[in-house]
Amino acid sequence: MKPAPIERPMLPFRVHFNDPAIQPFDIDACDAAEVRERMKKQRPEQSINKIKIVRENF
């Protein structure tokens, strides 16, 4: 029997894009790698400048 996968907590992230005309985008994910993967699917035409955890929600 396989052990159940470990649940990782969801964290609030803010994605900043290289184009200053594009507003930062908030997304919940487990880590920055997941955010990058999801952003490639949701917004493939926009390049990411940085990804930060939104600390004011804690």
Side-chain angles (χ1 to χ4, degrees), residues 1-6:
M1 183 180 216
K2 243 183 181 179
I6 296 172

Side-chain angles (χ1 to χ4, degrees), residues 1 3-5 7 12 17-19 23-24 27 30-31 33 36-37 39-40 45 47 50 53:
M1 183 180 216
E7 290 283 327
F17 299 97
N18 284 323
D19 185 349
Q23 292 293 319
I27 186 171
C30 295
D31 57 29
R36 286 188 185 282
E37 186 176 310
M39 285 292 99
K40 284 180 186 177
E45 69 285 350
S47 60
K50 64 182 168 183
I53 292 178

Side-chain angles (χ1 to χ4, degrees), residues 12-20 22-27 31-37 39-40 43 46-54:
F13 286 89
R14 183 160 293 144
V15 181
H16 295 265
F17 299 97
N18 284 323
D19 185 349
I22 301 171
Q23 292 293 319
F25 182 79
D26 289 349
I27 186 171
D31 57 29
E34 181 183 345
V35 173
R36 286 188 185 282
E37 186 176 310
M39 285 292 99
K40 284 180 186 177
R43 299 174 182 229
Q46 298 170 350
S47 60
I48 296 171
N49 181 24
K50 64 182 168 183
I51 298 172
K52 304 187 316 186
I53 292 178
V54 179

